[in-house]
């Protein structure tokens, strides 16, 4: 029986609020509450180990009227706010959390913390919540997180990440002391921590066609240690001009696109653990695998897949790097070529706000998969959008868009683009030789990023609150 693995994800905005607790005028300890969603993973796709991830949902300030006393070595507050927190957690199916600082100490739970929290955990379980988290941060921004269990014990959470436009290991990044000369050149630019981070992150690639195969090839060369590739299709003759790794013989053998990526990874002999799934992005059998990822690249060319990944990113705190390409040849021979990379994390607008998804096309795609006979009948009657002529495709453009996307991933781990990390939205006009960075107006009514009540909610029923 595998031991349950635990990890925690803090949205960067929530981590910044935790850090601000350290900004007391007299250096005294401070405290707050939080609520977390939880993600149950039956089997990690790379290890087969069951996992449980908690994702920050909300930061809750303790009212001044409830603060009792504080000093450089202690903080106390009344429990009225805690009882309200437990009621909300029980009602919403969330995990409550206690947060406090050790500004002049270390990120370690004291004997007094152990005693007080054990009593509070007992109260929490009596109230019917499914866990209690405890977080402590010290003056050097080191953090410790643990989970109290119904038996009165607790478990340290060894892997804690902060996600936003930057992706950071707050705890749990193992330093690889082995000689890795293959990646030495990029360590000379970004430092050895970069190689350690990419080697330990779990990255999903949804879509293994032109842009997806290029993304996967770049991630393998970058040293990513755990890669998930999802695509339903097999290779066709028209794919060979742009799908990396594909061969003419693969078409005759009807090799799947994901198997092409797996073979490409094996042939590099660079050691990445590549897991493949011949599936649609939104299918039930791919959920656990995607929930296990730290970052997901959306390289799918279907709208229903994008809608699914858009919601997954918001619910589960998994940064989404979505990429696309549009080419058009005009009657006079002039061509327009647009490449796009959109990064969706808390604080960025979602794919829906940027207008890169079409709900009608998504519905048509779902109908074509679930009921192809009805789809073709309605198409003949002009009630659904037809596919028309095949879209043009050129390998140089698809590969460059993949480079743009993977560079955003690099920006999330480094400061090469500046302290802001990933760019929210980049449109490259190849024909005009420029990049543009349009940002849509804030839409508080957006059914995804405008809904703070689902940020970090993780597992809910129905899944992603989508009925059907």
């Amino acid at each position: 029986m595998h031991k349950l693995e635990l990890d925690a994800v803090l949205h960067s905005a929530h981590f910044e609020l935790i850090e601000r607790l350290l900004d007391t005028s007299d250096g005294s300890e401070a405290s707050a509450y939080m609520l977390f969603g939880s993600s149950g993973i039956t089997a990690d796709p790379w290890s087969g180990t069951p996992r449980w991830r908690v994702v920050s949902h909300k930061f809750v300030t303790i009212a001044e009227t409830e603060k009792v006393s504080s000093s450089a070595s202690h903080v106390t507050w009344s429990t009225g706010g805690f009882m309200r927190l437990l009621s909300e957690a029980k009602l919403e199916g969330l995990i409550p959390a206690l947060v406090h600082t050790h500004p002049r100490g270390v990120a370690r739970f004291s004997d007094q913390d152990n005693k007080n929290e054990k009593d509070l955990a007992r109260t929490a379980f009596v109230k019917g919540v499914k866990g209690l988290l405890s977080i402590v941060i010290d003056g050097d921004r080191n953090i410790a997180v643990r989970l109290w269990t119904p038996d009165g014990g607790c478990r340290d959470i060894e892997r804690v990440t902060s996600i936003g436009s930057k992706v950071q290991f707050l705890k749990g990044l193992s330093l690889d002391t082995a000689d890795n000369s293959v990646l030495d050149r990029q360590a000379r630019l970004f430092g050895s921590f970069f190689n350690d981070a990419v080697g330990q992150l779990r990255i999903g690639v949804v879509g293994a066609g032109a842009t997806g195969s290029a993304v996967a090839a770049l991630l393998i060369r970058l040293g990513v240690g755990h890669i998930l590739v999802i695509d339903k299709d097999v290779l066709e003759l028209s794919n060979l001009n742009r799908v990396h790794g594909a061969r003419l013989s693969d078409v005759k053998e009807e090799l799947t696109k994901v198997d092409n990526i797996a073979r490409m990874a094996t042939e590099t002999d660079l050691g990445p653990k590549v897991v493949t799934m011949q599936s649609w992005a939104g299918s039930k059998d791919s959920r656990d695998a995607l929930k296990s990822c730290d970052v997901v690249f959306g390289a799918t060319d279907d709208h229903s897949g994008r809608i699914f990944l858009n919601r997954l990113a918001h619910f589960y705190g998994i940064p989404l790097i979505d990429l696309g390409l549009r080419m058009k040849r005009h009657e006079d021979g002039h061509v327009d070529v647009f490449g796009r990379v959109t990064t969706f994390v808390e604080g960025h607008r979602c794919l829906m706000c940027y207008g890169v998804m079409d709900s009608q096309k998504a519905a048509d795609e779902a109908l074509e998969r679930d009921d192809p006979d009805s789809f073709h009948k309605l198409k003949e009657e002009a009630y659904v959008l037809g596919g028309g002529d095949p879209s043009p495709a050129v390998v140089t453009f698809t590969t460059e868009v993949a480079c743009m996307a993977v560079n955003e991933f690099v920006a999330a781990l480094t400061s090469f683009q500046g302290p802001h990390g990933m760019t929210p939205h980049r449109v490259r006009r190849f024909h005009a030789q420029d990049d543009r960075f349009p940002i849509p107006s804030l839409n508080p009514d957006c059914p995804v990023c405008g809904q703070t009540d689902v940020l970090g909610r993780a597992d809910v029923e129905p899944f992603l609150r989508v009925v059907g």
Side-chain angles (χ1 to χ4, degrees):
M1 183 73 175
H2 290 295
K3 183 179 180 180
L4 183 70
E5 291 185 0
L6 302 175
D7 73 292
V9 171
L10 294 170
H11 285 95
S12 59
H14 294 152
F15 181 59
E16 288 172 8
L17 291 172
I18 294 173
E19 289 182 300
R20 288 182 197 173
L21 293 174
L22 292 162
D23 299 333
T24 55
S25 59
D26 58 357
S28 60
E29 293 188 6
S31 56
Y33 301 126
M34 292 184 71
L35 289 168
F36 283 74
S38 60
S39 173
I41 298 164
T42 305
D44 178 276
W46 296 278
S47 67
T49 303
R51 290 174 52 203
W52 200 56
R53 170 180 284 175
V54 293
V55 186
S56 68
H57 167 64
K58 184 165 70 171
F59 185 91
V60 183
T61 303
I62 293 177
E64 289 294 328
T65 56
E66 295 180 348
K67 297 177 182 178
V68 177
S69 65
S70 63
S71 71
S73 59
H74 89 288
V75 61
T76 59
W77 63 95
S78 66
T79 58
F82 181 67
M83 299 306 291
R84 293 191 296 273
L85 186 80
L86 295 184
S87 296
E88 183 176 357
K90 174 66 182 305
L91 180 65
E92 300 293 336
L94 296 165
I95 309 296
L98 308 167
V99 185
H100 74 284
T101 65
H102 285 176
R104 298 182 183 176
V106 295
R108 186 181 304 136
F109 297 100
S110 67
D111 291 340
Q112 190 62 45
D113 293 335
N114 295 338
K115 180 178 182 301
N116 294 344
E117 290 176 8
K118 187 170 185 177
D119 292 339
L120 293 173
R122 185 181 302 112
T123 300
F125 288 115
V126 167
K127 286 288 185 179
V129 301
K130 51 187 177 181
L132 177 68
L133 289 164
S134 179
I135 301 171
V136 63
I137 186 172
D138 66 25
D140 293 325
R141 272 52 180 179
N142 298 312
I143 194 168
V145 184
R146 65 182 178 183
L147 174 70
W148 287 90
T149 52
D151 60 4
C154 60
R155 284 189 57 189
D156 290 334
I157 297 181
E158 299 295 343
R159 188 178 193 265
V160 185
T161 53
S162 168
I163 64 99
S165 60
K166 299 294 289 289
V167 175
Q168 299 174 281
F169 277 88
L170 302 179
K171 184 179 181 183
L173 176 62
S174 300
L175 301 180
D176 187 358
T177 58
D179 175 36
N180 195 344
S181 56
V182 172
L183 302 176
D184 175 70
R185 294 296 185 93
Q186 64 191 33
R188 289 174 183 266
L189 182 62
F190 297 127
S192 60
F193 91 93
F194 177 81
N195 290 344
D196 295 333
V198 298
Q200 293 166 53
L201 287 170
R202 304 171 175 101
I203 310 300
V205 181
V206 178
T211 54
S213 65
V215 166
L218 292 167
L219 295 177
I220 292 166
R221 299 289 178 181
L222 203 63
V224 173
H226 305 80
I227 302 173
L228 167 73
V229 186
I230 296 177
D231 195 299
K232 182 71 172 178
D233 295 331
V234 298
L235 289 167
E236 299 176 351
L237 189 64
S238 63
N239 301 143
L240 297 183
N241 77 317
R242 64 197 184 280
V243 174
H244 288 250
R247 306 168 182 173
L248 181 59
S249 59
D250 297 335
V251 177
K252 299 175 183 177
E253 296 170 5
E254 297 186 330
L255 186 74
T256 65
K257 291 182 178 179
V258 294
D259 283 343
N260 171 58
I261 303 300
R263 180 184 62 197
M264 184 167 56
T266 300
E267 289 178 345
T268 64
D269 200 24
L270 295 177
K273 296 180 180 178
V274 176
V275 174
T276 62
M277 300 187 71
Q278 189 183 5
S279 172
W280 300 115
S283 64
K284 290 183 179 180
D285 58 352
S286 68
R287 290 178 184 175
D288 252 22
L290 284 168
K291 286 163 54 177
S292 299
C293 293
D294 299 305
V295 178
V296 170
F297 286 85
T300 178
D301 58 2
D302 66 292
H303 293 262
S304 60
R306 282 201 173 98
I307 288 176
F308 170 79
L309 293 177
N310 198 49
R311 295 185 69 81
L312 184 86
H314 199 55
F315 273 77
Y316 284 90
I318 301 172
L320 172 63
I321 304 175
D322 190 78
L323 57 156
L325 187 68
R326 182 165 63 85
M327 308 181 196
K328 183 177 181 179
R329 178 183 173 87
H330 298 276
E331 291 183 0
D332 62 1
H334 170 71
V335 297
D336 292 332
V337 183
F338 297 89
R340 174 195 57 82
V341 175
T342 307
T343 63
F344 180 35
V345 293
E346 191 277 331
H348 289 189
R349 303 275 70 80
C350 75
L351 303 187
M352 185 171 291
C353 290
Y354 283 106
V356 300
M357 304 183 305
D358 186 315
S359 58
Q360 180 58 55
K361 288 183 179 179
D364 294 344
E365 291 163 355
L367 179 63
E368 184 177 18
R369 292 172 186 169
D370 299 337
D371 190 352
D373 291 339
S374 295
F375 171 83
H376 290 295
K377 181 179 179 181
L378 288 172
K379 183 177 178 180
E380 290 173 359
E381 297 172 0
Y383 290 134
V384 299
L385 301 172
D389 294 330
S391 299
V394 179
V395 67
T396 53
F397 299 135
T398 56
T399 301
E400 186 167 341
V401 172
C403 289
M404 291 164 56
V406 176
N407 280 339
E408 293 299 335
F409 171 63
V410 174
L413 298 173
T414 69
S415 298
F416 94 91
Q417 286 189 166
H420 65 273
M422 294 191 292
T423 300
H425 187 64
R426 182 192 302 268
V427 176
R428 178 159 296 171
R429 301 192 306 167
F430 290 89
H431 55 284
Q433 303 180 67
D434 67 11
D435 282 8
R436 295 192 173 188
F437 308 90
I439 300 294
S441 300
L442 177 65
N443 177 14
D445 297 322
C446 174
V448 182
C449 62
Q451 307 303 308
T452 57
D453 63 315
V454 299
L455 174 70
R457 286 299 304 269
D459 292 344
V460 294
E461 289 294 338
F463 184 67
L464 301 181
R465 287 191 177 170
V466 175
V467 178

